[in-house]
Amino acid sequence: MLNACIRTVVVTGIILALAGCATTVPVEQPDLPAADQWNAPPMESAQAPDQQWWQAFGSEQLNGLIEQAFAGSPDLAATAERVFQAEQQVRVAGSSLFPSLNLNASTGERATDDGGSESRSESTSANLNVSYELDLWGRLAASRDESEAGYRATVFEYDSARLSLASSVATTWFRLMALEEQLRVARENLAIAERTEDIVDARYRNGAASRAELLRQQTEVLNQRASLEPVALEYRQTRSALAVLVGVSPLDFEADAGTQSLMDLTLPAVDAGLPSDLLTRRPDLASAEAQLQAADANLARARAAWLPSVSLGLNAGASTANLASLANPVETLGWTITLAQSLFDGGERDAQTAISESRRRALVEDYRGAILSALQETDDALDRLQTSERREALQQTVSERAGRTLELTDLRYRAGSDELLTLLDAQRTLFQTREQLVQLRLTRLQATVDLYRAVGGGWSQTKEDE
């Protein structure tokens, strides 16, 4: 007994000494840009976005559509299931850090016939086995850490998918409202052209206008009617795309902005913050960082695979020569310490370690690239937003003057002071300026959504996420 205890102490000492050889790999972070501000100048009266940033546009219909998308989107639901799977994987990996307990019980009867001599035997046994692998090198803990980091990455991916879905619904809704506005403007333009046709027809019947002038105006009316068809088609297709985004069938989906027009929407001023803020305000960057942490743990696990595994075992059992009874049993009790080390594997562990190191280096570069892309997206969105704001202000003035020009030209044509071509030119100019004004408002709204998405949409990484 004394010799056995001495042997146990020696083996344990050797194991603990080998544990001191395990090394910890420092976490390598990519080089981050150190810019203090964006290229675009800061916006006046700008406010930082909150998690329900879409409410800043002042559209109840948009608020309802985004909530409907969160509840009904198949893609978002599938992402949520992947989060659940990753959470369960953490439980699986964490279970290896605890002992396993197994109970086996059996009872039976056996009959043999040896040359006419028949014998019968009965037996009953029960065994309890406890096994536990000592995590001296941190391999099992690294596996758990890898699963936890993977779980955090999927949570951040879900947040990123949620932000992307809200952005897509908002831009599609704004596009639908812009098409409604285009249809309204086109119908107003058609009404103006038809009224002008009536005037030209009256002048023609009175001999004040030529047949060619009447045909020109009739052609203009037909062109205006034809221009309605592609806009109406795009409107129907955009409405179907919006239905798919919110998770309903496009066959019976209705989306109506009611009395609110595109020009009535609020245009919020978004504070983009500092470039360094993006690292904590964008879920996709948090996901990339979590993936890098998972790669760190994977590399630690691959390196720990080079070291021997140590397991403890405990077995207790009882058996009798009775059927379904443990009366007067024969009891057994034993324990084991198992030391296992692979001596030759044909280079498998070396290759696995090299793969883990390469994957980690690739993730470092992916993380760095994601940061650079985030900086570009934010700065570009700021630039587009400010440029579209200035262009819309100028276009508003142009549209107002084009409308006044058409009024004066119409009066002069009625009085016989201007030709029809001058009136037609004034009409086309007004039509174009109105359409351009709608497009610029749409561009400005879309740029605002892009900026919300670029800065994370009010998302922030909390301590619970870290």
Side-chain angles (χ1 to χ4, degrees):
M1 179 66 70
L2 179 61
N3 292 334
C5 292
I6 293 174
R7 287 195 298 270
T8 302
V9 170
V10 171
V11 171
T12 304
I14 294 174
I15 292 171
L16 294 176
L18 290 174
C21 300
T23 58
T24 301
V25 181
V27 177
E28 176 190 355
Q29 296 290 343
D31 295 332
L32 303 179
D36 296 330
Q37 60 183 6
W38 305 103
N39 291 327
M43 302 177 65
E44 297 181 359
S45 303
Q47 295 182 352
D50 57 24
Q51 291 190 351
Q52 293 183 323
W53 52 267
W54 53 86
Q55 295 183 355
F57 293 99
S59 172
E60 292 298 329
Q61 293 86 352
L62 175 61
N63 298 341
L65 287 170
I66 290 180
E67 293 301 327
Q68 185 179 359
F70 287 161
S73 171
D75 294 338
L76 193 63
T79 305
E81 290 300 324
R82 285 190 286 271
V83 172
F84 175 79
Q85 295 166 20
E87 184 180 17
Q88 301 310 305
Q89 187 61 40
V90 173
R91 296 180 58 190
V92 172
S95 64
S96 61
L97 294 171
F98 297 92
S100 63
L101 183 65
N102 298 291
L103 175 64
N104 298 313
S106 65
T107 186
E109 183 180 20
R110 180 180 180 184
T112 59
D113 187 356
D114 186 13
S117 174
E118 183 177 342
S119 63
R120 187 178 301 274
S121 63
E122 300 173 350
S123 66
T124 299
S125 64
N127 293 280
L128 180 66
N129 298 301
V130 181
S131 61
Y132 177 61
E133 181 178 351
L134 298 178
D135 193 23
L136 298 177
W137 331 114
R139 181 178 61 83
L140 299 179
S143 178
R144 178 203 58 194
D145 293 343
E146 181 182 4
S147 297
E148 288 179 348
Y151 166 69
R152 291 195 302 272
T154 55
V155 171
F156 297 145
E157 288 173 0
Y158 174 82
D159 293 338
S160 182
R162 195 171 184 269
L163 173 61
S164 179
L165 176 62
S167 301
S168 298
V169 171
T171 54
T172 306
W173 172 246
F174 294 152
R175 180 59 184 163
L176 192 68
M177 294 184 70
L179 290 169
E180 284 185 354
E181 190 72 15
Q182 283 184 269
L183 286 171
R184 184 186 65 79
V185 170
R187 293 188 181 103
E188 290 179 356
N189 295 340
L190 177 60
I192 294 173
E194 288 175 340
R195 286 197 301 269
T196 305
E197 180 185 9
D198 294 338
I199 296 171
V200 176
D201 182 64
R203 287 172 56 85
Y204 170 72
R205 285 186 279 103
N206 292 324
S210 64
R211 176 66 174 171
E213 289 179 327
L214 178 60
L215 291 175
R216 285 195 192 98
Q217 188 58 34
Q218 289 175 343
T219 303
E220 182 66 23
V221 171
L222 293 175
N223 287 333
Q224 290 296 323
R225 289 174 181 168
S227 65
L228 287 171
E229 294 301 325
V231 179
L233 174 62
E234 187 177 358
Y235 175 84
R236 293 191 296 270
Q237 293 176 341
T238 304
R239 184 179 59 191
S240 297
L242 181 61
V244 173
L245 283 173
V246 300
V248 299
S249 171
L251 301 181
D252 54 358
F253 177 72
E254 294 293 337
D256 186 9
T259 58
Q260 189 178 42
S261 69
L262 188 75
M263 311 304 288
D264 296 331
L265 293 175
T266 304
L267 287 165
V270 187
D271 182 11
L274 299 176
S276 57
D277 294 340
L278 289 184
L279 297 181
T280 57
R281 290 174 58 178
R282 282 185 53 133
D284 59 334
L285 295 184
S287 177
E289 184 177 359
Q291 291 174 11
L292 183 57
Q293 293 169 350
D296 285 335
N298 179 268
L299 179 57
R301 181 165 61 89
R303 289 178 173 174
W306 286 90
L307 302 173
S309 63
V310 180
S311 301
L312 302 178
L314 178 64
N315 176 272
S319 62
T320 67
N322 301 318
L323 182 65
S325 173
L326 285 175
N328 301 319
V330 177
E331 299 177 350
T332 59
L333 179 65
W335 62 271
T336 59
I337 297 180
T338 304
L339 178 66
Q341 172 66 57
S342 178
L343 300 179
F344 179 74
D345 59 5
E348 178 182 355
R349 285 172 297 172
D350 185 59
Q352 289 294 339
T353 303
I355 291 173
S356 297
E357 292 174 346
S358 178
R359 285 176 177 171
R360 191 194 183 285
R361 290 193 298 270
L363 286 172
V364 169
E365 295 303 319
D366 289 342
Y367 186 27
R368 188 166 67 92
I371 293 173
L372 295 175
S373 296
L375 293 172
Q376 178 192 5
E377 290 172 4
T378 304
D379 198 57
D380 288 350
L382 279 169
D383 199 2
R384 286 198 306 272
L385 180 57
Q386 296 179 19
T387 301
S388 62
E389 182 179 1
R390 293 191 297 269
R391 290 185 61 194
E392 184 184 352
L394 292 173
Q395 190 64 31
Q396 182 68 44
T397 303
V398 171
S399 180
E400 292 172 357
R401 294 185 179 180
R404 182 57 179 162
T405 300
L406 179 59
E407 292 177 3
L408 295 175
T409 305
D410 183 68
L411 292 175
R412 290 178 59 82
Y413 179 76
R414 291 170 184 260
S417 300
D418 276 341
E419 297 181 355
L420 179 61
L421 291 177
T422 304
L423 179 60
L424 290 176
D425 184 65
Q427 288 178 351
R428 294 191 188 98
T429 301
L430 178 62
F431 301 162
Q432 292 171 359
T433 56
R434 285 182 171 180
E435 290 182 355
Q436 290 173 2
L437 185 60
V438 172
Q439 289 299 320
L440 286 173
R441 174 54 63 94
L442 175 62
T443 300
R444 190 175 170 189
L445 287 166
Q446 290 176 337
T448 305
V449 174
D450 290 342
L451 183 56
Y452 272 121
R453 178 165 48 187
V455 299
W459 182 90
S460 61
Q461 187 172 354
T462 62
K463 291 183 178 180
E464 289 76 11
D465 296 330
E466 297 174 352

